[in-house]
């Protein structure tokens, strides 16, 4: 078949001829317009940030000059350490300093509090009419000043500090008498002027520290984004586009020269698109162009794609409704021709598989019925209850209770027909229960030994799998009268299955199998023999659960007695997931 008949080739040609030119045009217009708008908005916002940063730096510089002159030239501040704290002279000097702080605070509208701290006396003097400064903040400020190092960054430059959970810009000046003069400025106070400007648009103004910490209260952004803001403020790039929770943002930054802070403005790109009138018109025309394109594609694809797909859907519905004789008509496209062929083949195989599954289910149901018939023996129940009766009559109450518990556990296990598999330890516990019941019936006749590899306790296998062999051993054990009848059960790893297998051996010290019985077991004729219904049922269950991977072997021990061996693949709960 030629490539021109290929559905993929036809679709590529159709979509390429119609959509590629339109997509390229839209991509070009979009990219060009967005770059122009970004550059213009970034330039405008950069100018706004520089103006506000210069204004903020000027205010900080003015406070710097005040702190420097007060620390070294104010007579009261320089003489605080010359008088004893409890002297009248110290008190008068302190009053003079406080009055001066209150008078000076009026000249600096952005300053939240002016303070003086004498390290020798650990005395903090603050302006009274402070702006948003609580007593808790003052107390925490005293603790900070006690541990303040003369080389701390805020002694040389404005820095951010956290007092009582609030962020402040702080600057202190130390004179030769170990007296600090300082000021606190609230972050909100610094940001209010630019916020008032940004309220006119949809942008957002933030303040971050040189360490990348977000200083603006009430706003939450990831630390990684704050770090990108900090890096951008130190670079030569005019702007950067970042994707945040609010959407795609145009980010412009500017670093303060007087403090360890950086101003950041974020503008949503949705706002930028509102300024693109031409681009918006093109966007409005896109739906009409898309409808026209869709109409063209539907007409073109109807014959080569839609009709074959509709036929395939119709065929799937018919198959789902149970009409397994329905077949698809062959298409002109190579891909649909292959799909049609596979669909018709699959329908035929499903029809055959349905018959096989139905027959297999019948065999499985028959095997389960046989299993249930084998599990519940009226004679076994009556004999067990007879033992309980005699024990009660003989006033052996504890033995009677023990026997009843064994009977309850036994029938609770064998009636779990809906359980597909059980753990090895559960199966062994059930077999031991059965043997204990028989041992209580024949205390001087029966004995048993059970050995299980600890690593196989969690292995999974069908329930009541090898009980028929234990029952047969006990039934034939009645023929021995000169010694105690011993039943052995050994569960270990199968050395002949390196990838993992289980070997289950049931043996006794009885007479063993006759040659005729061994020939019958090896030939498999027992499967249709009602005399060996239990063995045949085990064989069918092994075949249905494991296929050819399981083996059922019969033989005699050299020292006498019969032995039945089951070799199964190892299955655990992890294998079944």
């Amino acid at each position: 078949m030629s490539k021109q008949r290929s559905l993929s080739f036809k679709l590529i040609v159709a979509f390429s001829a119609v959509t590629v030119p339109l997509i390229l045009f839209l991509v070009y217009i979009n990219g060009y317009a967005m770059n122009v708008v970004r550059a213009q908005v970034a330039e405008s916002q950069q100018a706004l940030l520089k103006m506000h940063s210069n204004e903020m730096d000027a205010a900080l510089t003015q406070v710097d000059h005040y702190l420097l002159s007060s620390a070294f030239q104010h007579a009261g501040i320089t003489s605080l350490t010359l008088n004893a704290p409890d002297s009248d002279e110290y008190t008068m000097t302190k009053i003079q300093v406080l009055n001066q702080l209150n008078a000076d605070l009026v000249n600096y509208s952005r300053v939240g509090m002016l303070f003086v701290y004498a390290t020798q006396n650990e005395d903090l003097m603050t302006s009274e009419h402070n702006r948003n400064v609580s007593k808790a903040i003052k107390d925490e400020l005293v603790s900070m000043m006690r541990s303040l190092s003369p080389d701390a960054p805020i002694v040389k430059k404005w820095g951010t500090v956290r007092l009582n959970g609030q962020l402040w810009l702080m600057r202190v000046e130390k004179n030769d008498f170990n007296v600090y003069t300082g000021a606190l400025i609230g972050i909100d106070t610094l940001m209010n002027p630019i916020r008032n400007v940004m309220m006119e648009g949809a942008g957002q103004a933030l303040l971050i520290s040189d360490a990348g910490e977000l200083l603006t209260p009430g706003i939450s952004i990831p630390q990684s984004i704050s770090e990108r803001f900090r890096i951008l403020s130190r670079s030569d790039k005019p702007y950067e586009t970042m994707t945040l929770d609010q959407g795609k943002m145009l980010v412009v930054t500017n670093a303060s020269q007087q403090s360890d802070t950086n101003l950041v403005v974020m503008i949503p790109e949705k706002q930028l698109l509102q300024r693109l009138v031409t681009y918006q018109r093109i966007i409005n025309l896109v739906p009409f162009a898309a409808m026209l394109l869709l109409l063209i594609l539907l007409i073109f694809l109807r014959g080569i794609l839609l009709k074959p797909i509709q036929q395939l859907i119709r065929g799937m519905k018919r198959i789902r409704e149970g009409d397994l004789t329905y077949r698809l008509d062959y298409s002109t496209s190579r891909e649909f021709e292959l799909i049609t062929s596979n669909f018709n083949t699959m329908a035929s195989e499903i029809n055959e598989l349905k018959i096989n599954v139905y027959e297999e289910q019948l065999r499985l149901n028959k095997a389960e019925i046989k299993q249930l018939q084998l599990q519940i023996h009226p004679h076994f129940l009556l004999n067990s209850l007879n033992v309980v009766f005699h024990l009660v009559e003989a006033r052996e109450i504890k033995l009677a209770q023990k026997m009843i518990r064994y009977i309850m556990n036994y029938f609770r296990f064998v009636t779990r027909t809906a359980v597909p598999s059980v753990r090895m330890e559960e199966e062994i516990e059930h077999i031991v229960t059965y043997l204990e019941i028989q041992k209580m019936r024949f205390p001087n006749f029966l004995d048993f030994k059970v050995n299980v590899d600890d690593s196989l306790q969690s292995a999974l296998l069908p329930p009541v799998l090898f009980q028929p062999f234990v029952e047969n051993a006990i039934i034939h054990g009645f023929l021995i009268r000169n010694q105690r009848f011993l039943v052995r059960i050994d569960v270990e790893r199968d050395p002949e299955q390196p990838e993992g297998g289980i070997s289950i051996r049931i043996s006794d010290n009885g007479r063993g199998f006759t040659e005729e019985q061994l020939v019958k077991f090896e030939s498999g004729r027992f499967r249709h023999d009602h005399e060996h219904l239990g063995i045949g049922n085990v064989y069918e269950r092994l075949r249905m659960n494991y296929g050819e991977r399981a083996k059922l072997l019969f033989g005699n021990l050299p020292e006498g007695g019969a032995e039945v061996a089951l070799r199964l693949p190892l299955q655990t709960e992890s294998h079944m997931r």
Side-chain angles (χ1 to χ4, degrees), residues 382-395 400 403:
L382 291 175
N383 292 334
S384 300
L385 293 177
N386 187 45
V387 173
V388 174
F389 173 78
H390 287 295
L391 289 173
V392 173
E393 189 177 40
R395 298 187 180 278
M403 184 66 171

Side-chain angles (χ1 to χ4, degrees), residues 236-275:
D236 297 331
K237 296 174 62 176
Y239 67 89
E240 185 173 336
T241 302
M242 301 182 186
T243 302
L244 308 179
D245 294 339
Q246 301 91 330
K248 208 168 184 181
M249 295 285 186
L250 178 70
V251 179
V252 182
T253 64
N254 191 75
S256 171
Q257 302 300 319
Q258 297 297 323
S259 65
D260 64 344
T261 60
N262 303 271
L263 279 172
V264 180
V265 169
M266 300 188 304
I267 302 176
E269 286 215 342
K270 290 182 179 179
Q271 179 186 353
L272 303 181
L273 295 178
Q274 295 176 0
R275 305 183 184 182

Side-chain angles (χ1 to χ4, degrees), residues 99-113:
N99 291 335
Q100 187 64 43
L101 291 178
N102 290 328
D104 294 340
L105 182 64
V106 179
N107 300 324
Y108 305 100
S109 58
R110 295 190 180 186
V111 176
M113 183 179 75

Side-chain angles (χ1 to χ4, degrees), residues 349-372:
E349 293 177 351
I350 290 176
N351 193 22
E352 296 176 1
L353 181 61
K354 183 177 181 181
I355 297 174
N356 294 337
V357 169
Y358 177 74
E359 293 177 350
E360 186 68 22
Q361 187 63 40
L362 288 178
R363 288 193 293 269
L364 180 60
N365 292 341
K366 185 177 179 181
E368 289 179 351
I369 292 172
K370 289 180 180 179
Q371 176 189 350
L372 187 59

Side-chain angles (χ1 to χ4, degrees), residues 2-73:
S2 61
K3 291 185 177 180
Q4 285 72 13
R5 290 189 59 196
S6 169
L7 178 63
S8 59
F9 178 81
K10 296 175 183 178
L11 290 176
I12 290 173
V13 171
F15 276 95
S16 301
V18 180
T19 60
V20 169
L22 180 60
I23 292 174
L24 292 177
F25 177 72
L26 290 176
V27 169
Y28 172 76
I29 292 295
N30 180 38
Y32 177 78
M34 289 299 296
N35 289 334
V36 170
V37 171
R38 286 194 189 102
Q40 291 178 348
V41 173
E43 183 179 356
S44 172
Q45 295 299 322
Q46 190 73 36
L48 175 65
L49 287 181
K50 285 184 178 179
M51 180 185 69
H52 186 74
S53 293
N54 292 337
E55 181 184 352
M56 183 176 70
D57 288 343
L60 296 178
T61 302
Q62 186 180 9
V63 177
D64 280 346
H65 293 161
Y66 165 77
L67 295 178
L68 183 62
S69 62
S70 296
F72 289 93
Q73 298 177 10

Side-chain angles (χ1 to χ4, degrees), residues 538-557:
V538 172
Y539 180 85
E540 289 295 328
R541 295 175 66 198
L542 289 175
R543 185 182 64 82
M544 286 186 291
N545 284 279
Y546 303 106
E548 299 297 328
R549 296 178 298 167
K551 293 182 180 180
L552 179 59
L553 306 174
F554 300 87
N556 291 323
L557 298 175

Side-chain angles (χ1 to χ4, degrees), residues 253-420:
T253 64
N254 191 75
S256 171
Q257 302 300 319
Q258 297 297 323
S259 65
D260 64 344
T261 60
N262 303 271
L263 279 172
V264 180
V265 169
M266 300 188 304
I267 302 176
E269 286 215 342
K270 290 182 179 179
Q271 179 186 353
L272 303 181
L273 295 178
Q274 295 176 0
R275 305 183 184 182
L276 301 178
V277 179
T278 304
Y279 182 79
Q280 288 293 322
R281 291 176 181 173
I282 294 175
I283 292 297
N284 293 333
L285 291 176
V286 165
F288 299 99
M291 291 178 61
L292 180 61
L293 174 63
L294 181 61
L295 180 61
I296 296 173
L297 290 178
L298 285 177
I299 295 174
F300 180 77
L301 296 177
R302 180 177 175 79
I304 65 171
L305 183 63
L306 297 181
K307 285 185 177 180
I309 289 179
Q310 290 173 355
Q311 181 188 207
L312 179 61
I313 294 174
R314 186 163 51 251
M316 294 171 64
K317 290 182 178 178
R318 295 284 292 274
I319 293 295
R320 185 179 59 187
E321 294 170 357
D323 185 7
L324 299 178
T325 61
Y326 183 82
R327 299 294 181 269
L328 299 180
D329 297 329
Y330 285 91
S331 174
T332 56
S333 295
R334 181 176 61 183
E335 288 80 4
F336 278 107
E337 184 177 350
L338 178 61
I339 292 174
T340 299
S341 176
N342 289 337
F343 179 88
N344 293 338
T345 303
M346 180 187 66
S348 300
E349 293 177 351
I350 290 176
N351 193 22
E352 296 176 1
L353 181 61
K354 183 177 181 181
I355 297 174
N356 294 337
V357 169
Y358 177 74
E359 293 177 350
E360 186 68 22
Q361 187 63 40
L362 288 178
R363 288 193 293 269
L364 180 60
N365 292 341
K366 185 177 179 181
E368 289 179 351
I369 292 172
K370 289 180 180 179
Q371 176 189 350
L372 187 59
Q373 291 172 345
L374 290 170
Q375 290 172 356
I376 304 177
H377 298 290
H379 294 295
F380 172 74
L381 176 60
L382 291 175
N383 292 334
S384 300
L385 293 177
N386 187 45
V387 173
V388 174
F389 173 78
H390 287 295
L391 289 173
V392 173
E393 189 177 40
R395 298 187 180 278
E396 296 287 347
I397 302 303
K398 291 190 177 297
L399 289 178
Q401 291 176 341
K402 185 176 181 181
M403 184 66 171
I404 292 173
R405 190 180 304 111
Y406 284 146
I407 295 173
M408 289 170 56
N409 293 339
Y410 175 83
F411 282 99
R412 182 183 294 114
F413 187 87
V414 299
T415 52
R416 294 166 59 188
T417 56
V419 178

Side-chain angles (χ1 to χ4, degrees), residues 343-538:
F343 179 88
N344 293 338
T345 303
M346 180 187 66
S348 300
E349 293 177 351
I350 290 176
N351 193 22
E352 296 176 1
L353 181 61
K354 183 177 181 181
I355 297 174
N356 294 337
V357 169
Y358 177 74
E359 293 177 350
E360 186 68 22
Q361 187 63 40
L362 288 178
R363 288 193 293 269
L364 180 60
N365 292 341
K366 185 177 179 181
E368 289 179 351
I369 292 172
K370 289 180 180 179
Q371 176 189 350
L372 187 59
Q373 291 172 345
L374 290 170
Q375 290 172 356
I376 304 177
H377 298 290
H379 294 295
F380 172 74
L381 176 60
L382 291 175
N383 292 334
S384 300
L385 293 177
N386 187 45
V387 173
V388 174
F389 173 78
H390 287 295
L391 289 173
V392 173
E393 189 177 40
R395 298 187 180 278
E396 296 287 347
I397 302 303
K398 291 190 177 297
L399 289 178
Q401 291 176 341
K402 185 176 181 181
M403 184 66 171
I404 292 173
R405 190 180 304 111
Y406 284 146
I407 295 173
M408 289 170 56
N409 293 339
Y410 175 83
F411 282 99
R412 182 183 294 114
F413 187 87
V414 299
T415 52
R416 294 166 59 188
T417 56
V419 178
S421 60
V422 296
R423 294 161 61 93
M424 178 65 73
E425 57 185 351
E426 295 176 320
E427 180 75 4
I428 292 299
E429 182 181 355
H430 167 68
I431 294 300
V432 170
T433 299
Y434 172 78
L435 290 170
E436 289 288 358
I437 293 173
Q438 296 290 19
K439 189 173 181 180
M440 291 189 71
R441 291 179 59 195
F442 312 105
N444 299 322
F445 166 73
L446 177 64
D447 203 355
F448 65 89
K449 291 183 179 180
V450 178
N451 297 313
V452 182
D453 189 334
D454 291 338
S455 64
L456 300 176
Q457 294 284 4
S458 60
L460 299 180
L461 70 163
V464 198
L465 183 63
F466 53 90
Q467 179 180 328
F469 302 113
V470 178
E471 293 178 353
N472 288 341
I474 294 177
I475 292 172
H476 295 292
F478 278 102
L479 301 177
I480 303 176
R481 298 299 182 184
N482 57 351
Q483 59 178 336
R484 292 177 66 87
F485 185 67
L486 176 65
V487 177
R488 287 183 60 90
I489 300 174
D490 296 286
V491 180
E492 57 189 6
R493 290 188 175 273
D494 189 357
E496 296 186 8
Q497 299 187 48
E499 68 281 3
I502 306 174
S503 173
I504 304 173
R505 291 185 290 110
I506 302 97
S507 59
D508 58 47
N509 60 345
R511 296 184 306 174
F513 296 113
T514 64
E515 291 295 331
E516 180 182 355
Q517 288 175 324
L518 290 176
V519 171
K520 190 174 185 178
F521 291 148
E522 291 176 1
S523 63
R525 285 182 288 147
F526 66 89
R527 289 178 290 172
H528 308 290
D529 189 350
H530 293 287
E531 182 182 355
H532 301 93
L533 184 63
I535 299 176
N537 181 42
V538 172

